[in-house]
Amino acid sequence: LMGLHTADTISGEFSLGATGRAIRGGELAESIAGVAVAGNLFDLLKGVALVGSDSRWFLSGKEAPSLLVEGLTVSGK
């Protein structure tokens, strides 16, 4: 997600641009870009169904794994 710092700090609502990979049949598939993800940050955290074992470091010096989150609205290409 790009720009999560713009989420409303009171309500938790957000709408952000995103890139990533599709998952089909449990396997990584094509890259996805030009989509928007909308939801509520508090609900997003409650909706984490799985945490991946693929942690990676980002330029900000933070490490994070992939997450499978249920209940998000995704739109775009």
Side-chain angles (χ1 to χ4, degrees):
L1 296 174
M2 299 171 281
L4 193 55
H5 65 281
T6 62
D8 185 299
T9 57
I10 303 298
S11 69
E13 298 298 314
F14 67 88
S15 178
L16 306 167
T19 61
R21 300 275 305 267
I23 299 174
R24 300 193 192 288
E27 300 292 326
L28 288 176
E30 72 275 4
S31 294
I32 298 174
V35 298
V37 178
N40 181 284
L41 183 58
F42 306 115
D43 292 337
L44 179 145
L45 294 173
K46 291 179 195 173
V48 173
L50 293 171
V51 177
S53 60
D54 60 343
S55 289
R56 66 180 197 153
W57 288 93
F58 294 89
L59 293 176
S60 63
K62 306 283 190 276
E63 181 183 16
S66 296
L67 300 175
L68 175 62
V69 179
E70 298 174 340
L72 287 177
T73 300
V74 178
S75 65
K77 295 181 182 181

